[in-house]
Amino acid sequence: MGNTHSRSQFAQPALYRILDANLDRTREGIRVVEEWCRFGLNNAQLTERCKYLRQELAKWHTPELRAARNTPGDLGTELTHPQEETRDSIEQVLQVNFCRIEEALRVLEEYGKVYSTEMAAAVKQMRYQVYTLESSLMAYQRHQKLKQASLYLVTSPSETLFNTIEAALQGGLAIVQYRDKETDDLTRLSNARKLQQLCQDYGALFIVNDRIDLALAVDADGVHLGQQDMPLESARQLLGPQRLIGRSTTNPSELDRAIREGADYVGVGPVYETPTKEGKVAAGVEYVQYAAEHCPMPWFAIGGIDTTNVQEVLSAGAQRISVVRAIMQADQPTLATQYFLAQLNQKQTLRGSRKVLSNGHPVTEELWS
Ligand SMILES: Cc1ncc(COP(=O)(O)OP(=O)(O)O)c(N)n1
Ligand SMILES: Cc1nc(C(=O)O)sc1CCOP(=O)(O)O
Ligand SMILES: [Mg+2]
């Protein structure tokens, strides 16, 4: 490689082996991520970005470096850690591999400075590109899950919090929001951590109500903010582009503002009066109808929804609902979850072939994505 610096006879084989091993490590890690972008997400743009990075790295993987390989003499091949042998989820596979890629790029950059300053500079750029790729991929995954989710459980304080949530997750629940206005921060932090882990184990999104600091502390997928909570612009600055932000809306003007301000999803309600949010006037099914015709991003009808009225909410145009009591207080949260999901799925299937709204306008959410 050009711009090669002098090095001792003794150090050269070791240097080449380090570069060769870390070029391999980086390319393999990128390939793992690439396969998910291609086959898991079907996302051509992300797949292309991985492929580009692999090809850029390959340019530096010269015969000279490959020739230094000495696998039988490499002590590292025998060193494994039990944590390397299992992965709980696809998210973990991706996280571990991004970590591996970033570490290996850092090694290439540092040792590359002895080998070729050009290589070190190129690898540094790649490391930044990998950070951006990781953010884009995580954001994309979250948005995909959000789009696919139709039932959203907002928690209430409960003696059986974790059992109830796990039971609902077993029933197929796709989003959980931790909402707790009663306990102290230490308990909140501990509860949020456990719920985040539980949701990750089941591949569900985990959102924290009101508290951006708590969401960041437990690496939640996002926050839910009401009209009296933090403005969206400040929340976005704190959370960055890759986490989800939900906004409560009660009327068309709040909805329009949430859309303009870049909310990822909105709550639409309360559809009915509810003891869970005492004193809040019902927005009614009329507002659900309005949202169905005007909301371009995922939205969840919320407030007083249970098994007796869910059909009315779906008939008004809701494709997604959010509940507290109907699952948190159900005798069998798994069955309650499955019941709501079945109602929602039935609605989706019926709507499947209809690509226009009752007023003849195209289905707006399809245009949004
Ligand atoms: C999905 C969803 N929609 C609406 C709300 C209500 O949020 P907010 O108005 O901030 O009220 P509190 O929940 O903080 O009492 C929600 N939490 N989730
Ligand atoms: C947390 C919350 N937000 C609402 C809103 O309209 O913004 S209604 C609501 C409570 C919903 O509880 P339940 O399902 O028990 O009626
Ligand atoms: Mg709030």
Side-chain angles (χ1 to χ4, degrees), residues 147 291-299 317-320 348 350-369:
K147 276 178 67 178
E293 306 218 336
H294 295 89
C295 189
M297 77 272 226
W299 58 276
Q319 294 183 33
R320 298 180 181 85
Q348 301 258 341
L350 287 176
R351 190 181 280 105
S353 55
R354 216 179 86 208
K355 294 286 182 207
V356 290
L357 293 166
S358 53
N359 62 6
H361 291 155
V363 176
T364 47
E365 199 178 307
E366 294 192 346
L367 297 177
W368 180 265
S369 52

Side-chain angles (χ1 to χ4, degrees), residues 105-160:
L105 283 173
R106 175 64 87 171
V107 174
L108 286 173
E109 188 183 326
E110 289 304 317
Y111 286 94
K113 288 174 190 168
V114 186
Y115 175 67
S116 151
T117 48
E118 262 178 25
M119 178 192 192
V123 164
K124 183 176 180 177
Q125 286 313 311
M126 279 182 230
R127 193 159 50 78
Y128 291 129
Q129 287 169 15
V130 169
Y131 292 142
T132 315
L133 176 71
E134 184 174 8
S135 282
S136 311
L137 177 54
M138 290 307 167
Y140 183 80
Q141 290 249 102
R142 287 183 173 130
H143 279 95
Q144 285 300 103
K145 281 190 187 178
L146 178 67
K147 276 178 67 178
Q148 282 156 16
S150 57
L151 180 62
Y152 184 166
L153 173 60
V154 179
T155 67
S156 54
S158 158
E159 300 264 295
T160 59

Side-chain angles (χ1 to χ4, degrees), residues 25-323:
R25 205 167 280 150
T26 316
R27 292 170 68 186
E28 284 163 13
I30 295 175
R31 181 62 99 164
V32 173
V33 172
E34 185 178 329
E35 297 301 68
W36 180 247
C37 295
R38 181 174 168 192
F39 298 110
L41 303 177
N42 257 327
N43 185 308
Q45 207 219 358
L46 289 171
T47 309
E48 207 39 61
R49 277 163 70 181
C50 292
K51 195 169 161 192
Y52 170 80
L53 280 168
R54 268 193 309 108
Q55 286 169 347
E56 285 301 294
L57 274 166
K59 289 183 193 163
W60 295 100
H61 212 169
T62 56
E64 173 184 54
L65 295 182
R66 287 172 192 278
R69 191 168 309 178
N70 177 12
T71 310
D74 182 357
L75 299 174
T77 55
E78 303 199 347
L79 304 176
T80 58
H81 190 279
Q83 274 180 356
E84 287 177 13
E85 280 162 26
T86 59
R87 301 279 181 253
D88 292 337
S89 60
I90 301 284
E91 269 84 6
Q92 210 195 4
V93 171
L94 295 172
Q95 255 170 20
V96 166
N97 277 280
F98 269 115
C99 229
R100 199 166 163 234
I101 297 165
E102 287 153 14
E103 276 173 11
L105 283 173
R106 175 64 87 171
V107 174
L108 286 173
E109 188 183 326
E110 289 304 317
Y111 286 94
K113 288 174 190 168
V114 186
Y115 175 67
S116 151
T117 48
E118 262 178 25
M119 178 192 192
V123 164
K124 183 176 180 177
Q125 286 313 311
M126 279 182 230
R127 193 159 50 78
Y128 291 129
Q129 287 169 15
V130 169
Y131 292 142
T132 315
L133 176 71
E134 184 174 8
S135 282
S136 311
L137 177 54
M138 290 307 167
Y140 183 80
Q141 290 249 102
R142 287 183 173 130
H143 279 95
Q144 285 300 103
K145 281 190 187 178
L146 178 67
K147 276 178 67 178
Q148 282 156 16
S150 57
L151 180 62
Y152 184 166
L153 173 60
V154 179
T155 67
S156 54
S158 158
E159 300 264 295
T160 59
L161 181 66
F162 305 112
N163 286 345
T164 305
I165 303 306
E166 180 148 26
L169 290 167
Q170 280 165 354
L173 182 69
I175 312 192
V176 175
Q177 178 190 134
Y178 176 51
R179 178 178 185 268
D180 186 343
K181 309 262 180 186
E182 290 173 12
T183 44
D184 56 89
D185 267 4
L186 265 184
T187 315
R188 280 201 192 101
L189 184 63
S190 154
N191 287 350
R193 276 211 181 104
K194 287 186 198 151
L195 289 176
Q196 192 276 343
Q197 186 59 56
L198 204 50
C199 287
Q200 187 171 310
D201 293 347
Y202 283 85
L205 290 172
F206 178 62
I207 306 288
V208 172
N209 183 42
D210 291 345
R211 297 279 300 271
I212 294 172
D213 54 347
L214 196 56
L216 287 170
V218 303
D219 193 22
D221 292 299
V223 284
H224 186 90
L225 300 169
Q227 295 291 320
Q228 313 305 324
D229 299 322
M230 179 80 87
L232 287 189
E233 196 188 347
S234 314
R236 184 60 76 200
Q237 271 174 8
L238 292 167
L239 285 164
Q242 77 269 41
R243 286 183 222 267
L244 302 171
I245 303 182
R247 185 64 130 189
S248 313
T249 68
T250 304
N251 55 54
S253 78
E254 287 177 0
L255 177 61
D256 288 348
R257 193 144 54 88
I259 296 167
R260 273 201 315 276
E261 290 178 352
D264 295 300
Y265 75 87
V266 289
V268 165
V271 185
Y272 308 103
E273 279 184 15
T274 165
T276 312
K277 217 148 159 64
E278 220 162 337
K280 198 163 180 188
V281 178
V285 287
E286 297 73 20
Y287 181 44
V288 174
Q289 280 161 354
Y290 179 89
E293 306 218 336
H294 295 89
C295 189
M297 77 272 226
W299 58 276
F300 295 81
I302 183 168
I305 301 173
D306 57 29
T307 53
T308 66
N309 57 25
V310 62
Q311 271 310 328
E312 185 180 41
V313 180
L314 301 186
S315 301
Q319 294 183 33
R320 298 180 181 85
I321 60 164
S322 177
V323 299

